[in-house]
Amino acid sequence: RPNYRKVNPADAPILIVSLRSKTLPLGQVFDVANTVLAQKISQVSGVGQVFVGGGQQPAVRVSVDPVALAGVGLGMTDVQAAIASATSNQPKGGFTGNAQATSIASNAQLTNAAQWRPVVIGFRNGAPVRLEDVAKVVDDVENQRAAAWTDGERTVLLIIRRQPGANIIEVIDRVKGLLPEIAHSINPAIDVSIALDRSTTIRASVADVQFTLLVSVILVVLVVFVFLRSPWATIIPSVAVPLSLIGTFGFMYLLGYSLDNLSLMALTISTGFVVDDAIVVTENVSRFIELGDSPVVAAFKGAKQIGFTIVSITVSLLAVFIPILLMGGVVGRLFREFAVTLSVAIAMSAVVSLTLTPMMASRLLRSEHGQKHGRFYNTLEKSFDWMRDHYASGLTWVLEHEVFMLGVTLATIAFTVFLFVMVPKGLFPQQDTGQIQGFSEAPQDISFPALKERQEQVIRLIDQDPNVDHFISFIGNSNTGSAFIQLKPIGQGRKLTADQVIAELRPKVGHIPGISFFMQSVQDVRLGGRLGRTQYQYTLVDANLTELMEWAPKVLAKLRTLPELRDANTDQQTNGLLLNVNVDRDTASRLGITSAVIDNTLYAAFGQAQVATYFAQANSYRVVLEVKQEYQTQPTDLGKIYVTGSGGAQVPLSAIASVSPAQTALSINHQGQFPAITISFNLAANASLGTAVNIINRATSAIGMPASIHGSFQGTAQAFQQSLESEPFLIAFALIAVYIVLGVLYESYVHPITILSTLPSAGVGALVALLLMGTEFSIIALIGIILLIGIVKKNAIMMIDFAIEAERDEGLSSKEAIYKACVLRFRPIMMTTMAALLGGVPLAIGHGNGAELRQPLGITIVGGLMFSQMLTLFTTPVIYVMLDRLSSRKRKHAIRADPQNLQPA
């Protein structure tokens, strides 16, 4: 079941539905969205929250002229009380006769603006004062300070989120299947369309990984065919691939796993692993057949001889995944499914290789003696013989120059450490998912009409970009707005990556006066932290709020000078405007005016107060009270507000109060119990997160930030710091785990060291490949390094197993035994290495949707295997001979000291 639940935050929208109409008021569209679509969609299985945005519920808006109201001797609280008492929806009983029952109804409830206008709010000189005499009464919406656009047109949005653990693909399909039915049941003047579909990129990414998986299988099968050159010999190990994958699917189903980006990545990389065991078994059976044994006897002998090698390779490879399974935090939970999926695939391949593969070999393989072959077969065989002969000559030379090869091994270890320190580091690769998230920020004292005007300027620039497919944008009752931008698919109208589109848009929107627009490329993996305007967060915490307010702008100013950072901004909102109303309590008391009356009057005038409710069949609606818009534009308008005193007298607010402007914090964030200010930033092109973390730490120290202010990275940057600290321990733990497992299998302290000596060369190859490809050392690359520990050592295991057998059964010296083992096992070593290498090539060169997340895994495996294959074929035999000589000396000393001690070291 394709899904993205492991790499998509549960709180991220999975589907946004747009409702637009050219003829209906926006309030009616919102009402339909809220009462029909939201209700039905929320009942769909797997749907979590359905949020309706971009508008407000219909309402009756009463906009009062305070001067006209005071002229008739009434105040805002009088209007409020009259409106509240003018409508009622109480039960009224009924009549019950001998044969009929009759309910009682009345016109007590008012349901539209036309019915509210003649409402009597008081009497003056015996004449009624009606609401329409002092106010404008219209059908409107509850809150006028919210707006949303889809592709530049005003709209109402349904933002749909899933339940935790629900399958995104299935939930989206259910909702999209329901939409046509809903659209036919509402007003045809409302156009219902999909504004944002998260499954578009998900499906493309999953399809790309599935294609990569198929290409990997084909490449692995071709490797087997090139080396064995026999259709039947190719089919036997190739069968292990689909059988191992099918068995893995079964275990994934039982474990509740799904086909997400990580599990598919594990299956793709497993194609180069699962065929290894079958290759080794098939090649060994073929060798016994060529020596004259019947296929059945050869199958028994070949499987028996290679059985311990298969077990050693598999168990030691599974041991490599222990550190991944024990990784803590969000990253550990994220990759646990990857490790389990890959472990199951490898275990399944071992079972298939030790059971089905020998059986098929006994039925399908035949001796090649006396058979004529074509030019293709003979050319490949001669090429292989040439490679083996030159390898044998080179091996003879290195076995005679042990000290030189030991120096090469030590130099490789030192170079690995050097490269690990030098390579740029990050947490996850920067992906191009085809989506951009934007946040607009205007001055903190901006009015809603001004914010709306500037947001529309941003929208027009976005709409003009040829890379944009569609977008949505919305603003609320604050100084900020948001936008989701869906780019066209690469190659279908778009040639730039998401980050390049951001770089092109940044200077254009930067020229819009009075608003800043921050953008970040949406990533499949988002780890905690506050929802920032940009991708990474650095939070300052201080118990002293005044000190924090003083130093946060200084830190922000410093970070904006760093060339490695872009779009540095802060969530500090401390420059809002405040108008203090200072009441003369003595005067107010003398006039019979209480503080509660003043507060109620001010709220009724300027707070869009909801003063009454009326009910319809499907929903309830409000009556909103305020003064007219021309009395809400500047602080001097407070002088036109009257407050009701004793005896109903209307007293100007200016007679009992004075006003004074001030600044205020619009919001104060906290982390734990202390005030906190978060600075967000993006990275410049070619800048790594590791570099950014280091320069930010140096920058905050350079400006002399007080010790009482604690700065720490949050979200992805925090997870990166934690992973950076744990990476050496994870690699060391993997080495220790493999050493212990190999020590138990071989009952030796020495042979595991020989096997592990192959690893530094793999590390050098992987790190050099990352540097050449301009790729950071990320968590994905770390997983690749850990996998290399399991892959590379199999070559040494195949050499050492045969060398030990040759020493024991044929009485050869260690040098003769390892030479024979290396030449004899050259073909399966080359085959298994090439299979694993080509299995990683599609990941390394992939450029599909979200391929950036998978590339470091393929790059490290391909680079590590290419370099280690060239080196370990020569260094491992030398290490084996030197350690075997050392262990022999120890055994001789032990025997001399205690002749009864004849146990091998």
Side-chain angles (χ1 to χ4, degrees), residues 162-366:
R162 65 185 173 89
Q163 295 175 352
N167 189 304
I168 294 178
I169 299 290
E170 293 177 357
V171 174
I172 291 176
D173 286 343
R174 293 190 197 111
V175 174
K176 291 170 72 173
L178 182 65
L179 286 180
E181 175 188 335
I182 298 177
H184 284 96
S185 66
I186 63 176
N187 192 322
I190 299 176
D191 175 54
V192 180
S193 61
I194 303 296
L196 177 68
D197 182 358
R198 186 70 180 92
S199 69
T200 302
T201 55
I202 294 172
R203 296 176 201 271
S205 182
V206 171
D208 181 70
V209 182
Q210 289 173 335
F211 175 75
T212 303
L213 174 61
L214 179 62
V215 171
S216 297
V217 172
I218 294 173
L219 290 175
V220 168
V221 172
L222 286 176
V223 167
V224 177
F225 179 74
V226 167
F227 276 91
L228 297 182
R229 302 175 306 284
S230 166
W232 289 118
T234 302
I235 290 174
I236 294 170
S238 299
V239 167
V241 178
L243 287 180
S244 298
L245 295 180
I246 291 171
T248 305
F249 290 148
F251 275 94
M252 290 175 64
Y253 179 80
L254 295 176
L255 293 170
Y257 291 172
S258 60
L259 290 179
D260 55 42
N261 211 357
L262 293 177
S263 61
L264 278 170
M265 185 166 63
L267 293 171
T268 301
I269 206 65
S270 72
T271 57
F273 298 167
V274 298
V275 76
D276 284 1
D277 297 341
I279 287 175
V280 174
V281 173
T282 303
E283 194 276 339
N284 207 42
V285 173
S286 300
R287 188 171 61 87
F288 278 105
I289 291 176
E290 296 302 319
L291 292 175
D293 291 326
S294 67
V296 174
V297 173
F300 274 107
K301 292 173 66 175
K304 179 181 178 181
Q305 185 184 48
I306 206 70
F308 180 78
T309 302
I310 299 296
V311 172
S312 300
I313 293 174
T314 302
V315 174
S316 59
L317 187 53
L318 294 178
V320 168
F321 297 114
I322 294 176
I324 302 178
L325 294 172
L326 297 179
M327 285 175 67
V330 178
V331 175
R333 290 194 296 272
L334 198 64
F335 284 95
R336 195 160 295 135
E337 183 171 315
F338 171 88
V340 172
T341 301
L342 192 51
S343 299
V344 170
I346 292 169
M348 290 296 301
S349 73
V351 174
V352 171
S353 300
L354 292 176
T355 54
L356 181 64
T357 301
M359 185 277 293
M360 293 181 66
S362 69
R363 297 295 186 270
L364 301 178
L365 293 183
R366 294 293 181 268

Side-chain angles (χ1 to χ4, degrees), residues 63 164 182 374 409 448 464 631 675 739 855 867:
S63 301
I182 298 177
T409 303
F448 180 80
Q464 293 169 7
Y631 297 103
Y739 178 83
Q855 280 180 341
F867 189 78

